[in-house]
Amino acid sequence: MARRPLPRILSNGSAQLARSRELARTAADSATDVLHPLITITRGLRRLASAGRRRWADTPKDRRGALLFLVASVVLVVALAPYGPLLAVISLMAAAAWQGRDRGPAAPEGPDASQAQRLKSLYEALVPHLSTAEDPAPLYVHGGDWERALSEYEFDGTGRVTHLVIGYPAYFTDGEPESRARIEHLIGAKSGRGREYHFVWDQEANQLTVRVLAPLPTDIAAQPFVTAPGETVLGFTDPIRVQRTLPLNHGAHGEERRDVPPVVWRTGIRSTEPHLLAAGQPGSGTSTLLRSIALQALHHGDVVIVDGGGTGEFACLTGRDGVLAVECGLTGALTSLEWAAHETERRLIAAGRAHQAGDPPPDDTRRPLWLILDRPTAFSHLAAADGRTDPQTLLQVPLRHGRPANVTVVVAEQLDALESLIDPVRQHTRARVVLGPATAEQLQSVLGAPPHTTPLDQVPPGRGFARLGSGPVHRLQVPATPDPYDEATGDVHRQAVLDLLPPRTTPADEEPGLLVPEPADTAAVLPGSVRLEKDAVERMTREKVPAEKVPAGAVAAEAEEAPATGAAGAEPAPGQAAVAEPSS
């Protein structure tokens, strides 16, 4: 079925919508300024009419006749007097303007006593860090005027700072991360803990802008996202540095639709960050992130999952259409990753030959292949104890050559085990995510740059930071994608994940070896992998291609050339039965 193109309003209309909203807002403000006198008089007439109705209702019935006679007499006198109607209209408009004036309390000109004390305390705390004895006219001095340094400020209903513009002397080392971190930590402590502050350093104007960020929404459930092939939504962030928004169901029950700015990770041949590394503390939501990525990847590609935690977090994906393998043991992990390495090499060879011949790449090399590994270092310890190959070493080929072969590697590991990852994994995973509580040093080590906000000690699951390559650091909230088989999962989120799962093609209780084998003259290969014909195999043999570079599922020899006891078949792919030649 051909994919329907996205509506233009959803694909590239965000900037136009933003400009339209800004123009409409400007026009409304201008109209309000022009029509302000008319609005005031109309409001006053409405209030005078309401007061007249109340006076009439409060008047006893036996006195309403006299009241009507008095009103009629006044109207008659005004009508007969010279310029009476004109003066009556002017008096009525003046009374309406007086009654329609804004009666709200006037905004205070400056901060109250408690707010001024907060700003003074912050100013005194900054004096040791932003002053020096050699300055002839210091901006910061004990007992000085804090209004010179703190030019703009806003407070919330509780009296805490929400917006602040701080000036600092030109000799302050605002280009050093250590100096910045010291000032940011001090401002966060003096302005109120438990909130996230966004810092913008204007080095040209020597000003620091502090803004309190609103909490990210935590009730966004897993759902189909409006994205193009090759785009994966890692989570949602603030609209500060992200201009794009996605329409989605915001509420947990899907009753509210709104646009939320996402963190979109682009993969594929033209991606600059083809692989991702996620780190976090236990219970921080790294497995939730992997489930969300897997569900999105299954729309356009195949997935191989290696679960080193052994807790069954990905059991819901077993046997699903597009899920080639879900391995929880060392032997299965080695087999799957070895096949993935061979499949990467096969794709490179097939695409290279197509390029040399001037042909487009084969279709089986265009379908994305995702390798998702959760805690692979757990298998490293088991392999070392058993004297077997570390599964991480089998990731070198997909990591180094995965981008031209449409192979993407996603690794999730705990923060305290990142040193156990091999160098290729750390070097080639340039898209980074850190979830859960983490210190500034840990964020700097994993992301390569400090965030522009203050980290929190208590964060909800799936909350953290993301950085794609050398881009900026974004706040991140992963959409709620829990294990639907977990008893602690709510019904709404469980049903949301179950609705995204592909149909089951292999019964969960059926072993891959019990599947019906293909005919003996064909190879058992994965969906989307190429079936090499006899002439292709002979050509590879003449070119002396090493045996370990022959892709999984290739036919080793013709049936008539197989020995009488059985044919030596190629290594079966994960989730496929080995096809043996019939004995004579």
Short mmCIF file of all heavy atoms in Angstrom, two decimals, residues 24 54 85 113 178 182 207 220 260 270 278 314 402 439 551 554 569 584:
data_model
loop_
_atom_site.label_atom_id
_atom_site.label_comp_id
_atom_site.label_asym_id
_atom_site.label_seq_id
_atom_site.Cartn_x
_atom_site.Cartn_y
_atom_site.Cartn_z
N ALA A 24 -1.61 37.70 13.88
CA ALA A 24 -2.94 37.84 14.47
C ALA A 24 -2.86 38.45 15.86
O ALA A 24 -3.69 39.31 16.23
CB ALA A 24 -3.63 36.47 14.52
N ARG A 54 -30.99 47.01 39.12
CA ARG A 54 -30.98 46.69 40.56
C ARG A 54 -31.79 47.71 41.35
O ARG A 54 -32.50 47.33 42.30
CB ARG A 54 -29.54 46.63 41.06
CG ARG A 54 -28.74 45.42 40.55
CD ARG A 54 -27.47 45.25 41.38
NE ARG A 54 -26.63 46.45 41.30
CZ ARG A 54 -25.66 46.64 40.39
NH1 ARG A 54 -25.45 45.70 39.45
NH2 ARG A 54 -24.94 47.74 40.39
N PRO A 85 -30.61 67.88 25.16
CA PRO A 85 -30.24 66.51 24.73
C PRO A 85 -28.74 66.33 24.56
O PRO A 85 -28.18 65.30 24.91
CB PRO A 85 -31.01 66.35 23.42
CG PRO A 85 -32.18 67.27 23.54
CD PRO A 85 -31.66 68.46 24.30
N ALA A 113 8.68 44.17 50.23
CA ALA A 113 9.78 44.03 51.19
C ALA A 113 10.43 42.65 51.12
O ALA A 113 11.67 42.53 51.11
CB ALA A 113 9.26 44.31 52.61
N GLU A 178 33.88 26.21 34.43
CA GLU A 178 33.91 26.13 35.89
C GLU A 178 33.34 27.40 36.52
O GLU A 178 32.60 27.34 37.51
CB GLU A 178 35.35 25.89 36.37
CG GLU A 178 35.94 24.56 35.96
CD GLU A 178 36.42 24.54 34.52
OE1 GLU A 178 36.41 25.64 33.89
OE2 GLU A 178 36.80 23.48 34.02
N ARG A 182 29.82 27.62 38.77
CA ARG A 182 29.80 28.14 40.15
C ARG A 182 28.71 29.19 40.33
O ARG A 182 27.98 29.16 41.32
CB ARG A 182 31.19 28.72 40.48
CG ARG A 182 31.34 29.18 41.91
CD ARG A 182 32.78 29.48 42.24
NE ARG A 182 33.35 30.48 41.35
CZ ARG A 182 34.25 30.23 40.39
NH1 ARG A 182 34.66 28.98 40.19
NH2 ARG A 182 34.73 31.19 39.64
N GLN A 207 25.71 40.06 30.40
CA GLN A 207 24.46 39.86 31.11
C GLN A 207 24.14 38.37 31.15
O GLN A 207 24.41 37.64 30.20
CB GLN A 207 23.30 40.61 30.44
CG GLN A 207 23.31 42.10 30.66
CD GLN A 207 22.07 42.78 30.11
OE1 GLN A 207 21.35 42.19 29.31
NE2 GLN A 207 21.82 44.02 30.53
N ILE A 220 2.39 11.91 28.58
CA ILE A 220 2.30 11.60 27.15
C ILE A 220 2.57 10.11 26.96
O ILE A 220 3.66 9.63 27.24
CB ILE A 220 3.30 12.44 26.35
CG1 ILE A 220 2.99 13.93 26.51
CG2 ILE A 220 3.26 12.05 24.87
CD1 ILE A 220 3.93 14.84 25.78
N VAL A 260 3.52 19.61 20.76
CA VAL A 260 4.62 19.58 21.73
C VAL A 260 5.92 19.50 20.95
O VAL A 260 6.02 18.73 19.98
CB VAL A 260 4.48 18.37 22.68
CG1 VAL A 260 5.61 18.34 23.69
CG2 VAL A 260 3.13 18.42 23.39
N ARG A 270 22.28 9.34 5.34
CA ARG A 270 22.74 10.73 5.45
C ARG A 270 22.77 11.24 6.89
O ARG A 270 22.90 12.43 7.13
CB ARG A 270 21.84 11.64 4.61
CG ARG A 270 21.97 11.38 3.12
CD ARG A 270 21.01 12.25 2.31
NE ARG A 270 21.20 12.07 0.88
CZ ARG A 270 20.67 11.08 0.18
NH1 ARG A 270 19.91 10.18 0.80
NH2 ARG A 270 20.91 10.96 -1.10
N ALA A 278 22.40 5.33 25.40
CA ALA A 278 21.58 5.83 26.50
C ALA A 278 22.14 5.33 27.81
O ALA A 278 22.50 4.15 27.93
CB ALA A 278 20.12 5.38 26.34
N PHE A 314 11.38 -6.98 27.19
CA PHE A 314 11.02 -6.94 25.78
C PHE A 314 10.28 -8.21 25.35
O PHE A 314 10.26 -8.56 24.17
CB PHE A 314 12.27 -6.76 24.92
CG PHE A 314 13.08 -5.55 25.30
CD1 PHE A 314 14.14 -5.65 26.20
CD2 PHE A 314 12.78 -4.31 24.78
CE1 PHE A 314 14.88 -4.54 26.55
CE2 PHE A 314 13.52 -3.19 25.13
CZ PHE A 314 14.57 -3.30 26.02
N GLY A 402 27.74 0.71 9.64
CA GLY A 402 26.29 0.57 9.69
C GLY A 402 25.56 1.64 8.92
O GLY A 402 24.47 1.39 8.38
N THR A 439 24.92 13.74 38.23
CA THR A 439 25.68 14.92 38.61
C THR A 439 26.13 15.68 37.36
O THR A 439 26.07 15.17 36.24
CB THR A 439 26.90 14.52 39.44
OG1 THR A 439 27.77 13.67 38.65
CG2 THR A 439 26.46 13.76 40.69
N PRO A 551 27.29 -13.93 3.59
CA PRO A 551 26.13 -13.58 4.42
C PRO A 551 25.39 -14.79 4.91
O PRO A 551 25.42 -15.86 4.31
CB PRO A 551 25.26 -12.73 3.50
CG PRO A 551 26.01 -12.57 2.22
CD PRO A 551 27.18 -13.47 2.23
N ALA A 554 23.25 -17.78 2.82
CA ALA A 554 23.72 -18.07 1.47
C ALA A 554 23.81 -19.57 1.27
O ALA A 554 24.17 -20.33 2.17
CB ALA A 554 25.08 -17.41 1.24
N GLY A 569 24.93 -26.50 5.28
CA GLY A 569 24.16 -25.28 5.05
C GLY A 569 24.83 -24.08 5.66
O GLY A 569 25.73 -24.20 6.49
N SER A 584 20.58 -38.91 0.91
CA SER A 584 20.29 -39.81 -0.21
C SER A 584 19.95 -41.19 0.29
O SER A 584 20.38 -41.59 1.35
CB SER A 584 21.51 -39.85 -1.14
OG SER A 584 22.67 -40.26 -0.44
#
